[in-house]
Amino acid sequence: MIAHAVRTLLFTLAVLFAPLGAAAGADVPWQDAEALRGESAQIQRRLFRAPDAALREDVAARLEEVRRLWSTRLRPAYEEAAPSRMRPLDEAVDAFAEAAGRWDPAAAASARARIWTGLVDGAFRAALARLDEGKTQEAAGWLNIREYARTSRDTAASIAMREALAGRMAPGDARSVIETELLGVYAGELRKAVAEARGHLAAGYGVQLAGALARAGGLHALLSESLAARLGTQEANRIAEAFARLDGPDRPQGAGLDALLVRIETLLATYAPASLSPEERDRRVRLLARFVALVPVEYGKGVRDGEIAIPFEYFEAGLFRDRAQMLFGDLGYDLAARAPQSFDRLAAILKDMQALIARKGDGAQVDRLAEEAGTLLAETYGADLSKGGDGAALSLLPDILDEILLAGGAGDWQEAELKRLEAYALFDPDVEQRLMPRAPALALKMEADFWEGSAESPGLGRIVAARGPEEALKLAVTRMKAATQEAARILDVRLSGLGAFLQSLAILLREGLEAVLVLACMIGALKASGVPARGPGGWRWPVAGGVTAALAGSFALWFAVGRLFALSTLQRELLEGLSALAAAAVLLYVTHWIFRKSYVGDWIAQIRRKAAAATGRKAGSGGYPGWLTLFSLSFLVVFREGFETVLFYEALLIDAPAAPVLAGLAVGGVFAVAIGYLMLGLEAKLPVAAFFRLTGGLLAVLCVMLVGSGIRGLQTAALVSATPVAWFPDRPWLQIYFGLYPVYEALLAQAVVAGLLAVSLLGFVLRRKAALPARSGGS
């Protein structure tokens, strides 16, 4: 696959290694290697389309360029620097040209993977050899032809090479650093290629399977000496025999091929090219713990009674299990040395998980296996590392963003979309819940970038749906990786007591003030209309019942999610969106009623007379909204924010001491209640009509806000499209406090609701003006 992320790194390295000069550039054709990789990728994409004369001519021209790059530029350099790789590279280039000539995408994908792994293998050996000879400039040129660590940071190999070029590090010391990093990268890529091959085999993707198998074979050849040194000759021979079957005429198919790939995964389980640093080991332990814990969560959502209920969740369960297997392989050498019995048991647990997922087995058994795996990790590495958590999610996000870039660069947009949803599942709710109380603007920006982005900077969802352009995808990934680093920096710092108090106060005011204003306006309007608080037609019990039910429901849902059942990211967004829209619909009716009261003054006295004798009042009689309306609105406006508010406070308590958080909650509650009483006090001081106009206008604004938030929830639940607009300001404070998002669909819905409210208001104004002469004439 073509990795456009690599091009950016190559350009950076070209600048860093400018002292190489023209001679080194001529001796090491690393730019030609990247050009060959790009041209072969373009050919591969065209092979997926039905051939016609123009397309065949284009492929033939590109093939000619591939041959030229290989024969005139790359082959002479490799023949001198890595002669042992010449034969497999010659065969791979010829096989690629032949496969493209007969329009065979699977064979072309296999040959193309062999070309690139052969180029990487030869460049790796050449770079180390040049460092052994003290030729740092030539080594730097060869180092450009490589796979890069999946990280957003500068790599150790790049730093070591830069220091060696500047004379601040001995070539031998730089060689040790570079060899250690690259072997680790290639070992990870080997495991990834085997896992991807199994995934492509299960999905029936023949072309992708051919490429993954060839890539795995090429990486095995690169690592063969390291495998023998680390595992011993006998174990290395077993692995070599398994890979020989993959590339031989007797390669099994179907279940047999999957069994062979599983055997290779098992044989590679304890292989580590070098001992991990304590930091890298701890990072992998956290990630392993996180993925093991996520498997039963996703599996529980995706499978019901042995049948797939939500395909994507089922897919993610398998994906997370495969990622856990890869991380287990990275830790295998360390884990086997620390606790051999735990190593054996974890290997068996991952294998049993895989079998259960494949046959859609008992979810409770998957839960038990995950719990046992977590216990083993805690016993081996300590409880803190075994918890995984948000730090693990943030550390993994850059890797998945790079994978999105790789998939998009290869033209596999379906895979890119799956990776995007996987990344979003790590961000929301885990990272977002902790980030929103502390940096709401950053949280909103990151969420938008997972979806539509903005008019000037399209997000991943828009780019992947439109299948490019790749340059926009690269920019989006770079932007999101920078945001991820900023989020990690913010969340790494524990809040002070004052900071915890202020953020706790802000949560309650931001999430709860809206509900308080709605309830205060509604109660004030009911009191001004003469509707009694108690009795058969009173408002107190419907309102109190709705608020109580909403609070109880919020805490019950919080308790149930993750304990009794799992609520997926998209399901949570859907729940929030629908509850906001339902609240807006009820509020629209109540606002219509309030506008009606504000201009038809004769009805106020009529309602008061009816309220005094109210018995068995029916909903809607005399213009009174009715107990069901009051209960529904009270429930919806509180429940809409209640569940999320509980989650925010739970996340805040992770980062801050409990006392200031609870103090902020208490002060925020007092402040919100005071605002409610202030609104109710206006009912006694203002003229009735003026009070109705004030409350009606305020509720109209809140109704428009709810519509914007509701549509936004449906957009993040992937049910409504999102089209960014450039003419509306993209300001976090507008989104957080007013529900105004710079997307066409939400703004259109809000404009429609605002129009309905304006028509309602205008209609009653006109009716009032028409009624005034009639009343004057009759007096």
Side-chain angles (χ1 to χ4, degrees), residues 287-301:
L287 288 173
L288 175 58
R290 178 173 180 80
F291 281 122
V292 167
L294 282 172
V295 170
V297 174
E298 302 303 323
Y299 187 78
K301 301 172 193 172

Side-chain angles (χ1 to χ4, degrees), residues 81-95:
S84 64
R85 296 300 165 225
M86 291 307 303
R87 180 176 176 182
L89 274 169
D90 281 333
E91 292 175 349
V93 172
D94 291 341

Side-chain angles (χ1 to χ4, degrees), residues 86 116 150 202 230 267 344 350 385 413-414 419 421 453 525 563 587 669 761:
M86 291 307 303
W116 179 246
R150 297 174 182 274
R230 298 292 289 182
L267 290 170
D344 292 338
L350 291 171
L385 290 181
W413 295 103
Q414 183 179 10
K419 295 291 184 186
L421 292 174
R563 296 167 178 83
L587 188 56
L761 176 60

Side-chain angles (χ1 to χ4, degrees), residues 520-522 524-525 591 594 679 690-700:
C521 290
M522 181 177 66
T591 306
I594 289 176
M679 289 296 303
F691 178 78
F692 274 127
R693 290 174 189 140
L694 174 64
T695 55
L698 183 57
L699 289 181

Side-chain angles (χ1 to χ4, degrees), residues 40 43 47 59-60 62-64 66-67 89-104 107-109 111-112 114-115:
S40 63
I43 292 170
L47 296 183
V59 168
R62 292 180 182 276
L63 273 176
E64 190 61 33
V66 168
R67 291 191 184 96
L89 274 169
D90 281 333
E91 292 175 349
V93 172
D94 291 341
F96 181 74
E98 182 184 353
R102 66 173 187 270
W103 219 265
D104 186 342
R112 182 170 166 265
R114 284 159 37 212
I115 291 173

Side-chain angles (χ1 to χ4, degrees), residues 742-763:
V743 289
Y744 171 79
E745 293 80 2
L747 292 173
L748 177 61
Q750 288 173 304
V752 169
V753 170
L756 290 174
L757 290 166
V759 169
S760 173
L761 176 60
L762 180 62

